[in-house]
Amino acid sequence: MNDEAPSVLAGAALLLRQRTFEDISYADIAELAGVSERTVYRRFPTRSHLLEALSVWIDDEHLPLGAFHTLAEFRAAVHARFRAYDAQPALAFVAARGAALSPTGQRSASVLTEAINAMLAETVPHLNRRDALRAAATLRTFASAMYWARLRTSFDADAETTSRLFDRAVDRVLPAATGAARAA
């Protein structure tokens, strides 16, 4: 990111506390960030580019997932993040929406995906590659802002309920993954 991008994203996040994403214009963001509207367009040519970058920035700066190496630490980190989502739902919904977009940037696998893969390598070291990929994808999905947002909007679930459902998913995925490794 260039030097203007963080101020543009901070401006967009500030505006999100007052309006929906659809009601925020590039001109409003530029004015708040202290840059020209052209600068905003140059960095984020489409609203999809802006939303994707904003989602990553929110995850990194406002709603980060704590570090983990073990399954217990992973659960605790996800529970804490769900509580953070409950505390800042406007930002969490933007993070969820941005994560649902087809990627517009050049990012490789997310830091979370890499951390989950490392944890699985330690937790179930004999898991074959296919089952490890399935387990990582499932855990990544259930640890996401999209999962939190779906439970919040569809079932009015709070962070504690979402955390309990997350734990049940983890309990089902890992024993199944461990059993698949033994059967192979």
Side-chain angles (χ1 to χ4, degrees), residues 18-123:
Q18 304 160 1
R19 304 180 222 164
T20 66
F21 184 74
E22 288 75 20
D23 294 333
I24 296 172
S25 71
Y26 275 32
D28 295 337
I29 295 169
E31 182 179 333
L32 197 57
V35 299
S36 72
E37 188 174 356
R38 183 180 178 124
T39 298
V40 178
Y41 275 106
R42 193 173 26 241
R43 180 62 182 105
F44 307 104
T46 68
R47 291 184 70 78
S48 292
H49 286 91
L50 175 62
L51 185 56
E52 180 184 17
L54 188 57
S55 174
V56 170
W57 185 80
I58 286 169
D59 275 348
D60 292 347
E61 300 294 322
H62 291 280
L63 302 169
L65 184 69
F68 62 89
H69 301 285
T70 67
L71 183 56
E73 291 171 346
F74 178 58
R75 287 178 193 260
V78 171
H79 292 188
R81 191 178 215 188
F82 288 158
R83 287 190 295 277
Y85 289 161
D86 273 4
Q88 297 186 70
L91 293 179
F93 280 115
V94 169
R97 186 170 167 196
L101 291 173
S102 295
T104 58
Q106 300 293 328
R107 287 184 62 132
S108 58
S110 77
V111 173
L112 177 56
T113 301
E114 291 170 2
I116 290 171
N117 285 331
M119 177 195 65
L120 287 174
E122 284 293 316
T123 304

Side-chain angles (χ1 to χ4, degrees), residues 113-177:
T113 301
E114 291 170 2
I116 290 171
N117 285 331
M119 177 195 65
L120 287 174
E122 284 293 316
T123 304
V124 283
H126 302 295
L127 200 58
N128 68 49
R129 179 167 164 64
R130 182 193 61 174
D131 289 334
L133 178 63
R134 287 178 180 168
T138 302
L139 294 176
R140 174 70 177 91
T141 298
F142 283 106
S144 72
M146 289 185 296
Y147 177 69
W148 171 88
R150 179 59 57 211
L151 289 177
R152 178 80 179 253
T153 58
S154 298
F155 303 103
D156 199 26
D158 63 5
E160 299 314 311
T161 301
T162 304
S163 293
R164 282 193 303 277
L165 292 169
F166 166 78
D167 286 342
R168 289 183 72 182
V170 171
D171 290 343
R172 290 188 183 255
V173 167
L174 289 184

